[in-house]
Amino acid sequence: MSATQPERAGAEPLPLLELPFDEGLDAVLHLCFDVVEDPTFPTVKRWREAGGRVLGHFRVYFPEELAHAVGMLPVKVRGAQVDREHADSRFGSYLCSILRSSLEVALTGDLVLDMFVTHPICDGARNLAAIWGRNRPEPAQILYLPQNPNSRFSAAWLTEEYRRMLAELEEVAGRRANDDDIRRSIEVFNENRRLLRGLYRIRRKTPWLLPVHEAYVLTALAGLITREEHNALLRWAIPLIESREARKQDKVRVVFEGGFCEQPPLDLLRAIADFCYVVDDDLLIGLRWILSDVPREGDPVRNLAVAYLDDSSYSPVQHDLRKPKEKMLLERIRASDAEAAIVAAAKMCEPGLDEQVAYAQALDAEGVPYFVTEFEERMTSFDHLQIQLETFVENILFA
């Protein structure tokens, strides 16, 4: 067992949740909501108190298998609904909220990391490492994902970039990871992605059994606890969700697009669930970025790089000519048998707001109804949005 991973008897890492499984699914979901919405990151604190080390990475995607292989806890830095008393002075006011709230929870000590990694997905995220490094003691790195994934050299280049990042992780963790370590981590994460795909199959086939906000917290926990613990939770929860007694309602089936980086408030998702069945989305897409199992045979680092490039989803922050985002959105709508789309974007998010125009043109051309909106992670009032959304839904149902 790694010195960076809390010691326990047996092969399983330290459990970071105390879930009331004997009280049933609803009680477990209630606690999951509390953990996901807690801006003090209690699961991360518990890991560190037991002697573990933590890698925090910014959205959208990071090969978490590498951190797992060296015994670190990979945490998706997602910001929080907090008052920004410190971070706002480090940024301009024209930037999205998640950049500032992510640094805020680090400056207040609510989220303590041993290493932070960001990505050049936009101007703000690219500069976040430098700002983080000037204000925090832990090392801050940038993982350079290929700007041109269509180049025939991109897989070789990304493999070497992953190896560079692995060396940085090993230095912080104080442990070397060999190929077998990485293969074991790939196996854990392959299972996690299979279970998440199972969760989304429920939403596509029987969305009345699993509203979007419940699915969201079950997914989001993957970025706050070990994948082994998350796998165990999903293995327990999925059969119970499938056996729920819930009656189908007269709601519109929609796809939610625009949650790839900054996340909408849970209350916004609850408001949408009052009127719609969200049968697919790009919320927390980094956790589901790779679409099928990563091979364990051969070079595991190269396998991760190839999977990122060739067996992956789409996002406004990846520019892949093989995956035109408007076409991919239409395919997502068709595959989930959706009747409409909610095209959202975080306020001040340049990639997301840019894509809204292209999405709207493609949806107009196909005659797909859509609802355009903006959100911000600290939103607390949704009355106006609910009125607009109710009108949108009624226009579809009674057309």
Side-chain angles (χ1 to χ4, degrees):
M1 190 74 69
S2 164
T4 64
Q5 182 171 295
E7 295 284 351
R8 293 186 72 233
E12 291 295 309
L14 175 75
L16 302 177
L17 295 174
E18 295 180 359
L19 295 174
F21 291 112
D22 57 333
E23 297 179 25
L25 181 62
D26 289 342
V28 169
L29 284 172
H30 181 78
L31 191 143
C32 291
F33 275 104
D34 289 344
V35 172
V36 170
E37 293 189 287
D38 192 331
T40 66
F41 299 86
T43 56
V44 180
K45 281 186 169 63
R46 185 174 186 190
W47 179 267
R48 289 187 59 84
E49 287 167 356
R53 295 182 187 173
V54 180
L55 164 76
H57 64 90
F58 196 66
R59 304 188 184 274
V60 171
Y61 173 79
F62 182 87
E64 294 180 314
E65 291 91 339
L66 301 181
H68 183 274
V70 299
M72 298 181 76
L73 177 69
V75 172
K76 293 188 78 66
V77 178
R78 56 181 171 82
Q81 290 186 312
V82 295
D83 293 329
R84 297 190 297 262
E85 299 178 358
H86 308 282
D88 278 357
S89 63
R90 275 78 170 178
F91 294 98
S93 59
Y94 51 85
L95 294 173
C96 64
S97 177
I98 190 174
L99 292 169
R100 291 175 281 167
S101 62
S102 295
L103 182 60
E104 180 71 25
V105 294
L107 292 175
T108 59
D110 288 324
L111 179 62
V112 179
L113 306 175
D114 295 284
M115 182 176 175
F116 174 72
V117 178
T118 186
H119 320 279
I121 58 174
C122 66
D123 289 343
R126 183 181 63 232
N127 293 314
L128 183 57
I131 296 171
W132 197 287
R134 286 200 298 268
N135 290 276
R136 293 289 307 157
E138 64 269 9
Q141 288 279 339
I142 299 176
L143 175 66
Y144 291 96
L145 300 169
Q147 293 298 304
N148 180 14
N150 304 119
S151 167
R152 62 191 178 95
F153 302 106
S154 59
W157 187 89
L158 184 57
T159 300
E160 292 308 308
E161 177 66 1
Y162 279 5
R163 291 195 183 284
R164 179 190 70 83
M165 185 55 61
L166 178 60
E168 299 286 350
L169 292 166
E170 290 173 333
E171 183 69 24
V172 172
R175 169 187 165 175
R176 303 297 175 192
N178 58 35
D179 284 355
D180 285 338
D181 292 326
I182 300 172
R183 291 188 185 103
R184 281 189 289 270
S185 295
I186 286 174
E187 187 172 2
V188 171
F189 280 73
N190 278 345
E191 181 186 8
N192 189 250
R193 287 184 284 263
R194 286 195 297 269
L195 289 164
L196 288 174
R197 290 195 294 271
L199 207 63
Y200 271 70
R201 276 194 296 272
I202 295 173
R203 293 179 55 195
R204 287 192 294 271
K205 293 180 179 179
T206 52
W208 50 92
L209 297 179
L210 186 63
V212 59
H213 52 288
E214 291 184 354
Y216 180 87
V217 296
L218 285 172
T219 303
L221 280 170
L224 296 170
I225 60 179
T226 68
R227 278 307 196 284
E228 291 87 346
E229 186 173 9
H230 192 241
N231 288 347
L233 170 62
L234 293 183
R235 286 195 299 266
W236 176 85
I238 287 174
L240 295 176
I241 294 168
E242 292 173 328
S243 63
R244 266 177 159 175
E245 294 184 3
R247 188 171 296 178
K248 181 180 178 180
Q249 298 179 350
D250 193 14
K251 294 182 178 181
V252 173
R253 295 171 62 96
V254 304
V255 163
F256 182 96
E257 190 79 12
F260 60 94
C261 185
E262 183 173 329
Q263 299 299 290
L266 273 171
D267 284 340
L268 186 149
L269 297 181
R270 289 188 182 97
I272 293 173
D274 286 340
F275 302 102
C276 305
Y277 288 134
V278 180
V279 292
D280 206 347
D281 57 58
D282 67 343
L283 297 165
L284 302 165
I285 192 63
L287 296 172
R288 300 176 288 118
W289 182 257
I290 296 175
L291 299 177
S292 59
D293 284 0
V294 178
R296 298 179 67 247
E297 301 76 18
D299 181 347
V301 178
R302 179 175 174 81
N303 290 346
L304 287 169
V306 171
Y308 170 82
L309 294 167
D310 297 338
D311 188 21
S312 54
S313 187
Y314 67 97
S315 166
V317 298
Q318 188 197 49
H319 307 289
D320 191 330
L321 297 177
R322 299 168 297 177
K323 298 185 289 185
K325 289 172 277 295
E326 307 93 302
K327 178 182 177 182
M328 300 299 287
L329 172 58
L330 290 172
E331 289 182 2
R332 175 172 278 167
I333 291 170
R334 296 186 190 108
S336 59
D337 196 25
E339 303 165 78
I342 296 176
V343 182
K347 292 182 179 180
M348 301 293 180
C349 174
E350 185 175 341
L353 292 168
D354 282 349
E355 291 302 329
Q356 278 190 334
V357 177
Y359 287 150
Q361 291 175 343
L363 294 168
D364 282 334
E366 293 293 320
V368 178
Y370 60 93
F371 177 82
V372 177
T373 188
E374 287 185 344
F375 64 85
E376 200 260 351
E377 63 184 0
R378 294 200 301 173
M379 286 175 64
T380 56
S381 176
F382 307 97
D383 293 343
H384 187 59
L385 181 141
Q386 285 180 300
I387 293 171
Q388 291 179 318
L389 188 59
E390 184 177 13
T391 302
F392 172 72
V393 169
E394 288 177 350
N395 286 337
I396 295 173
L397 291 175
F398 304 118

